[in-house]
Amino acid sequence: SIAILLYLAQKFKTPDHWYPCDLQKRARVDEYLSWQHTNIRAKASKVFITKVLLPLLTGQPLSAEKLEVATEELNVVLKQFEEKFLQDKPFIIGSEISLADLVAVVELMQPVCAGYDLFEERPKLAEWRRRVEEAVGKQLFQEAHEGIMNIKNL
């Protein structure tokens, strides 16, 4: 959860870029972390649930209409994310990665793991993802997503 991430960042005195002491930068992290609950998280997980989990759990075929609605909703918030949060910066709060970027990329990987490559037609978003992956390390990034990447094999 967001609360535990903030607690851990402060308790273990992680490098400042994760959750900055500078109030303006911290406010940008907090702004994104508050916004993402009903936007990126809600819409990205809806695509994942509709495309992977519901058919897996119910044994029923995928509803094309529900998936189309979920994908359209996700596309709206992805545009907002690019315009309002990324803008022309390498990361959400500027030149360094933060918890906001980490939370965002985890949520956006859900639809990717479901077979919807939302980065494919969004070069700005794809470049941001590449920078996030580089910042945390490719191996760690892969390990962190290994379970969800294999969910379709169930």
Side-chain angles (χ1 to χ4, degrees):
S1 79
I2 300 302
I4 197 67
L5 282 175
L6 300 179
Y7 167 79
L8 292 170
Q10 293 174 48
K11 177 177 171 85
F12 294 104
K13 298 178 180 29
T14 59
D16 190 64
H17 64 86
W18 289 112
Y19 195 55
C21 290
D22 176 273
L23 289 180
Q24 285 186 322
K25 288 180 180 179
R26 182 174 281 203
R28 289 293 290 164
V29 172
D30 291 338
E31 176 186 31
Y32 174 77
L33 294 176
S34 294
W35 177 84
Q36 64 91 31
H37 287 289
T38 56
N39 292 283
I40 295 288
R41 174 176 284 169
K43 307 311 187 231
S45 63
K46 188 174 181 180
V47 169
F48 180 77
I49 289 166
T50 303
K51 193 162 183 179
V52 176
L53 288 184
L54 288 177
L56 183 67
L57 295 173
T58 65
Q60 300 298 314
L62 175 68
S63 166
E65 295 82 24
K66 284 183 182 178
L67 181 60
E68 184 178 329
V69 167
T71 303
E72 286 174 13
E73 290 174 350
L74 177 58
N75 287 331
V76 168
V77 297
L78 289 175
K79 185 174 189 244
Q80 292 171 347
F81 176 66
E82 286 183 291
E83 291 174 356
K84 305 295 182 193
F85 291 98
L86 285 182
Q87 299 166 346
D88 292 321
K89 302 173 293 193
F91 297 102
I92 292 173
I93 65 164
S95 61
E96 293 184 294
I97 191 170
S98 71
L99 285 177
D101 298 285
L102 202 57
V103 169
V105 81
V106 167
E107 299 297 346
L108 295 179
M109 289 303 292
Q110 288 186 43
V112 172
C113 296
Y116 175 56
D117 189 353
L118 52 90
F119 299 105
E120 187 175 33
E121 294 180 14
R122 293 181 180 84
K124 180 190 282 191
L125 203 59
E127 271 303 300
W128 165 79
R129 176 197 166 179
R130 183 195 58 73
R131 286 189 296 272
V132 171
E133 190 173 342
E134 240 174 49
V136 298
K138 288 184 184 274
Q139 184 176 349
L140 181 58
F141 189 89
Q142 304 261 327
E143 285 177 29
H145 296 99
E146 188 175 337
I148 199 166
M149 289 296 281
N150 294 321
I151 196 140
K152 291 190 292 185
N153 297 335
L154 291 177

